[in-house]
Amino acid sequence: MLESNILTIAKTGAAILTHQTQPVVTFDQALVQLTDDMMATMLAANGVGIAAPQVFSNKAVFIMHSRPNARYPSIPTSQATIVINPQIISSSLEVEAATEGCLSIDNQRVSVYRHKHINVEYQTLSGKWVTQQLSGFDARIFQHEFDHLQGITLLERIKMPDQQQAFDQEKSRLQDVC
């Protein structure tokens, strides 16, 4: 049995958070150890997801695990999922704003638009490919962690043109309703 370690979490400004990750090609005990350590780190920090760059690794790996905790007391519960070499295959046109936090950004939450539904593909720890449709909070976590693998943090995401476009569309929709 492996012993899990709680790793240091990279904070905003760390270079590793600005670089795109490398695909995983070797599915071995070192990868299992990395994901065990990432899980322990995420749980200790009351996170609902963590990406490898957040623990100073350049591998295309993240973990999703939604469950109520001190940082997110009212969220749904979903099974812990290790995601390796992920791709977003398609996204819904429908987006929604919600407040997000990030383990790499202390004491700050920001409103971010994300696609409500996404179709994804990724590998498991054994290298098996999985195709899945995600909605709601799970889709939000996946998109947030996927951004980390692209070298995009929450603070960069909110400045991107698609965020302003989504805001403008929602504002227009609300004006049409009133």
Side-chain angles (χ1 to χ4, degrees):
M1 183 81 176
L2 295 175
E3 183 177 324
S4 298
N5 302 300
I6 295 176
L7 305 173
T8 300
I9 296 174
K11 299 297 180 181
T12 300
I16 189 90
L17 296 175
T18 64
H19 299 294
Q20 195 165 21
T21 55
Q22 298 299 310
V24 171
V25 293
T26 305
F27 294 79
D28 59 6
Q29 196 57 43
L31 182 62
V32 171
Q33 182 68 56
L34 172 64
T35 58
D36 283 352
D37 292 347
M38 287 172 62
M39 180 70 79
T41 303
M42 179 191 70
L43 293 173
N46 288 315
V48 296
I50 192 166
Q54 292 181 279
V55 294
F56 297 93
S57 170
N58 72 342
K59 295 186 183 316
V61 176
F62 65 78
I63 297 174
M64 303 174 19
H65 186 32
S66 176
R67 78 250 173 267
N69 62 53
R71 288 179 71 226
Y72 300 96
S74 302
I75 59 172
T77 300
S78 65
Q79 179 178 331
T81 304
I82 296 169
V83 176
I84 302 170
N85 298 327
Q87 294 297 319
I88 296 176
I89 306 303
S90 63
S91 330
S92 64
L93 293 177
E94 191 176 9
V95 296
E96 67 182 348
T99 303
E100 293 182 20
C102 180
L103 296 178
S104 293
I105 304 168
D106 290 329
N107 304 316
Q108 190 171 359
R109 294 192 187 269
V110 295
S111 183
V112 181
Y113 282 93
R114 300 280 187 191
H115 297 279
K116 279 185 144 183
H117 311 282
I118 55 175
N119 291 310
V120 301
E121 184 176 77
Y122 60 89
Q123 288 177 280
T124 65
L125 267 177
S126 65
K128 178 184 173 207
W129 283 98
V130 173
T131 302
Q132 195 173 15
Q133 182 176 32
L134 300 172
S135 299
F137 199 65
D138 286 336
R140 179 167 292 278
I141 296 171
F142 193 101
Q143 291 169 85
H144 178 107
E145 301 308 333
F146 185 80
D147 275 354
H148 277 298
L149 303 186
Q150 311 311 307
I152 301 168
T153 68
L154 197 53
L155 299 179
E156 284 85 36
R157 171 58 64 195
I158 61 173
K159 295 175 187 171
M160 293 182 158
D162 66 326
Q163 292 295 304
Q164 185 60 49
Q165 181 181 8
F167 173 78
D168 292 343
Q169 287 173 345
E170 183 66 9
K171 184 175 161 185
S172 175
R173 186 186 71 75
L174 290 174
Q175 287 172 346
D176 290 345
V177 171
C178 295

